[in-house]
Amino acid sequence: MIYSKNKIALVDCNSFYVSCERLFNPSIIKKPVVVLSNNDGCVISRSTEAKLLGIKMGEPYFKVEKIVKKNDIKVFSSNYSLYGDISRRVMKTLKQFSPQIEIYSIDEAFLNLSSIKDDDLLEFGNQIRKIVLKWTGIPTSIGIASTKTLSKAANHIAKKEKSGVINLINSKEIDKILEKIKINDVWGVGRQLTKFYIKNKINTAYQLKNMSNNWIKKNTNVFGSRTAMELKGVSCISLEVHQEKRKNCCVSRSFGNKVTRLEELKEAITTHCLNAAEKIRIDGQTTKKITVFIRTSPFQKDRNYYANAKDVDLPFETNDSIELVKQALIVLKCIYKNGYRYQKAGIILSGLKDINIYKKNLFSTISNEEKRGKLMKAIDYTNIKYGRNALSIAQAGLKKKWNIKRQHSSKIDTACFELLPAVRA
DNA sequence: TCTGGGGTCCTAGGACCC
DNA sequence: TCTGGGGTCCTAGGACCC
């Protein structure tokens, strides 16, 4: 057999955020590097060298600060516009290898390789790695298999191998590979399922593969049985080639410093609302419901915890910043309680719909709806051209004392020529 | 002192209807 | 006074992903 039916590659960028920082700062190549989450809170990307020093994924920064100082680990605040930009370049490159591509996250994509001969798959994978590295500077790992879950598993092993590519199509090694994968590293098996499986003596992907369908169906849900079937090589999760528009839009941030006053919460909620409204306008969507939530730190056990959320159904579909802010602030007042040190606030727009479905509401309370639409367009245009928040509304505040911390920013902007890396012949 | 942010999907249970 | 069974729709919360 030359052609197997399903051939799916998972291409995953290695330590993606770290790799992006390295592009613009070659002096940190081969050095231990970490990138921190918003607010410099947690470690969310680590170079191999940092992993070897024992830095764990998702660990709070203050807990690893000692190791960082001791080993001179380079630290960066996250720079999402940079990573987004590099991600687009990587995905564009991948599309050349297969137009049937599902962009699964900022740093990984599934490719349909069904048109490639079985015997050529490994070499094809090598080519992808080579070209992506050459064109974008980003190193990748590739797993190729007959289902998404298996290609994830193959990728997991590929990351640890020097070759960087593992092909499981027609491979006699599948079971050997699955034996190496711990149950909690299987795609689709999270904390709860891990607990359950381990209790039932299922400790590896291989053991899960060999459980009877009946048992899995009886004891887990559709998710569980899908994952197990996929490990057996039965495709249950299809490739989503068409990028669906999002159904919800959430914007939230932790504060750089704890917030107590309603005024400051108002500024934050207003800012988040403006950002969310801009996002859905760019995607050509409207919303019907807005949720506002605030909370104190769940980690400070010595203080009372308070978290609350409330939503409001809007009288009509909209993406008008001013209207959304107005409604959000009314809700915020309802849930705000004096005397707490708030750690985070955010909003969620849900029930998003395509703007084409939007029917002009006769009872719209926004007077001059057309004018307002033009105003929004003008704001978006200005902000794209002159930088985010070039144009805002007064309610969002100017000082933003609550704003996030970014003490390790590399300040790289891919739109800025001076910062482009120099090429030496 | 300091602990991210943004998504999707599934399910159980309530409300409502005939 | 006795008091059924089945269906749909919606939502909150949980689990999972990166």
Side-chain angles (χ1 to χ4, degrees):
Chain A
M1 186 169 63
I2 304 172
Y3 284 100
S4 310
K5 246 173 128 190
N6 284 318
K7 284 170 264 190
I8 296 171
L10 175 68
V11 182
D12 190 315
C13 301
N14 299 343
S15 312
F16 183 56
Y17 298 167
V18 167
S19 298
C20 289
E21 297 292 345
R22 279 178 170 167
L23 279 183
F24 292 85
N25 189 348
S27 73
I28 58 170
I29 292 171
K30 298 207 168 140
K31 300 245 169 73
V33 183
V34 296
V35 175
L36 305 180
S37 64
N38 268 329
N39 249 328
D40 297 340
C42 297
V43 175
I44 52 169
S45 183
R46 309 158 294 156
S47 70
T48 312
E49 299 79 9
K51 286 176 196 171
L52 289 174
L53 287 169
I55 306 267
K56 300 251 158 45
M57 181 68 179
E59 231 171 354
Y61 179 56
F62 72 91
K63 282 192 182 170
V64 297
E65 220 171 341
K66 261 189 195 161
I67 309 180
V68 166
K69 296 256 156 73
K70 195 175 152 201
N71 298 283
D72 193 26
I73 299 178
K74 307 294 173 207
V75 179
F76 293 86
S77 301
S78 39
N79 180 349
Y80 291 104
S81 49
L82 170 67
Y83 311 148
D85 206 353
I86 306 296
S87 173
R88 277 185 289 276
R89 295 182 200 181
V90 171
M91 299 306 167
K92 211 174 156 187
T93 308
L94 289 179
K95 262 182 210 161
Q96 311 242 341
F97 290 95
S98 171
Q100 297 242 36
I101 177 174
E102 174 186 341
I103 297 172
Y104 183 67
S105 76
I106 193 164
D107 71 339
E108 53 188 302
F110 291 102
L111 267 60
N112 183 356
L113 300 189
S114 298
S115 61
I116 310 296
K117 266 191 209 162
D118 287 9
D119 290 344
D120 297 343
L121 283 170
L122 193 63
E123 180 49 31
F124 196 76
N126 286 327
Q127 276 299 315
I128 296 177
R129 288 191 77 223
K130 210 168 118 190
I131 297 294
V132 172
L133 183 65
K134 194 169 167 191
W135 290 5
T136 70
I138 299 293
T140 54
S141 302
I142 300 180
I144 303 169
S146 58
T147 69
K148 279 182 164 179
T149 306
L150 280 173
S151 69
K152 270 275 189 184
N155 188 283
H156 188 78
I157 301 300
K159 260 185 209 150
K160 298 174 183 170
E161 305 267 314
K162 220 178 165 195
S163 72
V165 185
I166 294 279
N167 173 26
L168 296 184
I169 299 285
N170 293 337
S171 165
K172 295 194 178 71
E173 309 282 297
I174 293 190
D175 287 348
K176 259 193 213 161
I177 297 266
L178 293 183
E179 269 175 359
K180 284 193 214 165
I181 296 175
K182 282 187 277 171
I183 191 70
N184 56 299
D185 289 327
V186 175
W187 190 48
V189 178
R191 276 228 285 285
Q192 300 306 315
L193 268 180
T194 296
K195 249 192 256 168
F196 173 74
Y197 284 145
I198 288 181
K199 215 197 291 171
N200 287 278
K201 304 209 162 56
I202 303 169
N203 297 303
T204 66
Y206 177 69
Q207 288 173 324
L208 180 58
K209 177 191 166 181
N210 284 326
M211 293 306 293
S212 82
N213 290 339
N214 272 342
W215 187 87
I216 305 253
K217 262 187 204 159
K218 226 183 270 171
N219 290 285
T220 72
N221 54 18
V222 282
F223 253 120
S225 52
R226 237 186 263 169
T227 300
M229 290 298 281
E230 285 237 324
L231 285 178
K232 294 178 211 270
V234 180
S235 176
C236 304
I237 309 170
S238 53
L239 202 72
E240 304 289 337
V241 178
H242 301 289
Q243 277 242 297
E244 297 281 323
K245 283 192 181 177
R246 67 159 84 81
K247 295 166 183 162
N248 302 295
C249 177
C250 171
V251 175
S252 72
R253 289 287 178 279
S254 298
F255 300 122
N257 297 304
K258 299 278 183 294
V259 163
T260 54
R261 293 171 43 232
L262 177 60
E263 275 313 303
E264 284 182 280
L265 283 178
K266 274 186 180 173
E267 285 184 12
I269 289 295
T270 301
T271 306
H272 299 337
C273 251
L274 294 178
N275 288 338
E278 183 187 305
K279 276 193 193 179
I280 66 167
R281 282 200 299 272
I282 286 169
D283 288 350
Q285 293 178 300
T286 57
T287 183
K288 189 89 192 340
K289 184 162 134 183
I290 176 164
T291 308
V292 177
F293 63 91
I294 53 177
R295 65 152 208 234
T296 62
S297 171
F299 299 103
Q300 300 192 325
K301 302 276 184 250
D302 51 331
R303 289 177 189 273
N304 281 337
Y305 179 62
Y306 174 67
N308 207 346
K310 189 173 158 61
D311 49 51
V312 56
D313 283 307
L314 303 170
F316 46 87
E317 312 273 343
T318 187
N319 58 22
D320 183 291
S321 292
I322 297 167
E323 182 63 22
L324 289 170
V325 168
K326 199 170 90 188
Q327 298 286 350
L329 292 183
I330 296 172
V331 177
L332 173 64
K333 255 188 215 159
C334 299
I335 56 175
Y336 172 77
K337 270 205 218 164
N338 200 5
Y340 287 99
R341 296 169 76 242
Y342 293 95
Q343 182 247 358
K344 184 174 186 174
I347 63 128
I348 304 165
L349 307 179
S350 43
L352 301 185
K353 281 198 186 131
D354 227 85
I355 195 128
N356 303 322
I357 303 168
Y358 166 72
K359 301 262 181 325
K360 224 178 190 182
N361 191 301
L362 293 173
F363 307 103
S364 161
T365 54
I366 305 174
S367 51
N368 275 331
E369 206 179 327
E370 224 170 282
K371 254 192 191 168
R372 282 283 272 276
K374 281 183 188 161
L375 173 61
M376 293 305 128
K377 265 191 192 153
I379 292 176
D380 293 343
Y381 175 78
T382 312
N383 285 340
I384 286 167
K385 196 159 178 194
Y386 298 103
R388 174 146 258 179
N389 301 327
L391 215 52
S392 185
I393 67 176
Q395 188 68 255
L398 286 173
K399 281 185 235 145
K400 300 196 177 175
K401 272 195 288 185
W402 45 270
N403 222 344
I404 59 168
K405 260 186 264 178
R406 294 186 82 230
Q407 290 178 344
H408 307 276
S409 169
S410 54
K411 301 201 177 68
I412 293 161
D413 180 351
T414 40
C416 173
F417 270 107
E418 280 71 44
L419 289 167
L420 287 178
V423 179
R424 289 189 184 84

